[in-house]
Amino acid sequence: YLKRGQVVINPNVSKENDESLKRPFDFIPLPNRTLLSREKWEIYLSNFKKIQSKLYSKKCATGVTTMNRARGCLNHRHRCAYCGIGDLNIYKSSAKSFWGDILKAKEDINANFFYECFDNFTFSTTYLKDLLDNRPDSLEDANLCVYSSSNKISQETCDILRPLGVYLVNLGLDSGDEWGLKLLKGENTSLNDNYRAVDLLTKNRFEMHISFVLMGMGSNKHTKHSLDKTIEFIKYLVNHTSVTIIDCALFYPDKNAPVGGLIWTPDNYRVLKNQYQLSYIDTSALEKANKKWKDQVYIDSTEITKDFAHICGTDFDLLLEYQHKIKNICNEYNVSFGYSQAGKLE
């Protein structure tokens, strides 16, 4: 980062038994958003205002930006099948640093809408209460979009999020099929959790951004059955909840992810087979993909996603067909749609 015109690198604060390890983000200076031109911020704000909104007007938006004052995930012991993030341990900044980032953004670019990129903002009610107790009075107009997971949404959580200024919650629900959900996210969540979370957030008047992952699950017949369940769930969302945005990605085989990484480490298949219910994997296709990709430096994302669908016993075109179906449902109900891989909203 820049300090008095010089590039400065933070010291290593990740030492064992070091108190600073608990809050390493406090060592990261507050961003200077004026380093990006005013023109860029105005484009960002203009695009933001175009996103559909069911409950909250964006006419009052004077500036929008991203922030990241905590990282990690509660699923670090059994990570999602597609997750390739290296370190999922939870690190957070102090409340002072959290609100300081928002105050600085307000000063720099007049921002009053914020995307907090922490993967599970609601991991701890103690953390949320600390933020609430230390919120400056001058930030009553700050609006937050935060990430959560369905099994961490409760009435208590909603009661804290509202006075914090949260207006939109981003949930990675992944699937509307119980079996597909277990495969992608493990045993820590269920389809009932998904329904309960979206109903509770709707009842408490939060907008929602919902993400799905479309994955081959054996034959086209089995995959189609699972994705039909997801379509059924999405129709429930657009008809009965306050969902504002839906995005979906085809399962991308990230090199560091437990399941996607099998292309580079096929020997791990036996270990992961039962843990992630992978009995449908075509091991001969897996070995073939390993020979094709193991030494490649440049990865064509579409081609390797096609190969992984084949490894799962599914036609890639079937996954694209269901992605298109989801887009059509969103268009019909005036819900913004996004392709997760490209970060594109329509």
Side-chain angles (χ1 to χ4, degrees):
Y1 59 93
L2 285 177
K3 185 175 182 180
R4 299 187 183 91
Q6 301 295 316
V7 175
V8 180
I9 299 174
N10 283 317
N12 181 4
V13 296
S14 299
K15 297 177 182 178
E16 290 294 333
N17 301 318
D18 188 335
E19 183 65 24
S20 63
L21 179 62
K22 295 179 181 179
R23 287 182 172 169
F25 277 33
D26 282 2
F27 288 80
I28 302 174
L30 302 178
N32 178 4
R33 291 173 173 85
T34 64
L35 293 173
L36 197 63
S37 71
R38 169 56 61 180
E39 179 187 13
K40 296 292 194 303
W41 290 113
E42 288 176 352
I43 292 171
Y44 191 178
L45 178 60
S46 176
N47 290 339
F48 172 75
K49 287 184 174 181
K50 293 175 184 176
I51 299 173
Q52 298 285 345
S53 184
K54 289 186 176 179
L55 302 177
Y56 296 95
S57 172
K58 294 187 173 70
K59 291 180 180 178
C60 64
T62 55
V64 59
T65 187
T66 54
M67 59 184 289
N68 192 194
R69 282 290 146 185
R71 290 181 189 169
C73 180
L74 290 172
N75 287 347
H76 60 275
R77 289 189 178 85
H78 185 102
R79 62 176 58 216
C80 296
Y82 48 77
C83 178
I85 297 173
D87 183 359
L88 290 181
N89 289 307
I90 292 177
Y91 304 99
K92 58 185 184 296
S93 64
S94 62
K96 180 181 178 181
S97 181
F98 179 91
W99 295 116
D101 200 339
I102 291 178
L103 285 166
K104 185 70 164 58
K106 190 173 183 179
E107 175 187 325
D108 286 350
I109 60 167
N110 201 24
N112 60 349
F113 278 80
F114 301 85
Y115 286 104
E116 167 51 67
C117 299
F118 179 20
D119 281 333
N120 201 329
F121 188 76
T122 58
F123 82 101
S124 164
T125 53
T126 301
Y127 171 68
L128 296 179
K129 289 175 181 177
D130 183 43
L131 293 180
L132 184 58
D133 289 344
N134 289 278
R135 176 176 176 153
D137 293 338
S138 60
L139 291 179
E140 288 183 356
D141 66 333
N143 300 275
L144 297 169
C145 165
V146 301
Y147 288 75
S148 183
S149 57
S150 60
N151 59 356
K152 296 302 291 184
I153 296 296
S154 65
Q155 187 58 54
E156 181 185 14
T157 303
C158 292
D159 290 341
I160 303 173
L161 292 179
R162 173 63 66 217
L164 269 175
V166 174
Y167 78 98
L168 186 146
V169 178
N170 191 318
L171 293 172
L173 300 187
D174 290 359
S175 177
D177 170 48
E178 186 74 41
W179 186 71
L181 193 63
K182 298 295 186 189
L183 187 152
L184 290 164
K185 300 186 79 71
E187 298 296 327
N188 293 327
T189 190
S190 70
L191 191 56
N192 283 338
D193 285 336
N194 284 359
Y195 276 101
R196 181 191 51 77
V198 298
D199 288 344
L200 197 54
L201 289 170
T202 299
K203 174 186 173 184
N204 285 274
R205 295 185 59 77
F206 290 98
E207 292 188 357
M208 291 179 289
H209 179 155
I210 308 295
S211 300
F212 292 93
V213 177
L214 310 185
M215 182 180 182
M217 300 177 183
S219 66
N220 280 353
K221 179 180 178 181
H222 286 120
T223 299
K224 189 175 184 298
H225 175 77
S226 177
L227 295 182
D228 280 340
K229 293 285 188 181
T230 294
I231 292 292
E232 181 182 317
F233 181 50
I234 288 172
K235 287 181 177 178
Y236 177 82
L237 289 174
V238 297
N239 278 293
H240 302 289
T241 77
S242 54
V243 64
T244 300
I245 304 168
I246 290 176
D247 72 63
C248 67
L250 308 190
F251 188 100
Y252 177 79
D254 191 294
K255 188 173 184 178
N256 297 314
V259 175
L262 286 172
I263 286 181
W264 289 270
T265 55
D267 291 343
N268 288 348
Y269 171 69
R270 290 185 179 180
V271 176
L272 297 174
K273 179 180 177 181
N274 293 327
Q275 186 179 2
Y276 287 92
Q277 305 177 46
L278 302 177
S279 59
Y280 56 84
I281 290 287
D282 184 335
T283 53
S284 60
L286 180 60
E287 293 291 342
K288 185 177 179 180
N290 171 256
K291 292 177 182 178
K292 176 180 177 179
W293 293 105
K294 65 179 180 180
D295 297 322
Q296 291 294 322
V297 176
Y298 171 75
I299 304 295
D300 183 298
S301 60
T302 300
E303 186 177 354
I304 198 170
T305 302
K306 283 183 178 180
D307 286 349
F308 197 78
H310 179 61
I311 289 168
C312 294
T314 300
D315 291 336
F316 178 74
D317 288 344
L318 179 67
L319 301 181
L320 287 180
E321 176 188 331
Y322 274 84
Q323 189 176 51
H324 192 67
K325 285 183 179 182
I326 294 170
K327 177 183 176 182
N328 285 342
I329 293 171
C330 290
N331 289 341
E332 181 181 352
Y333 288 89
N334 293 318
V335 172
S336 294
F337 173 80
Y339 298 99
S340 299
Q341 289 98 331
K344 178 183 177 184
L345 281 177
E346 295 191 349

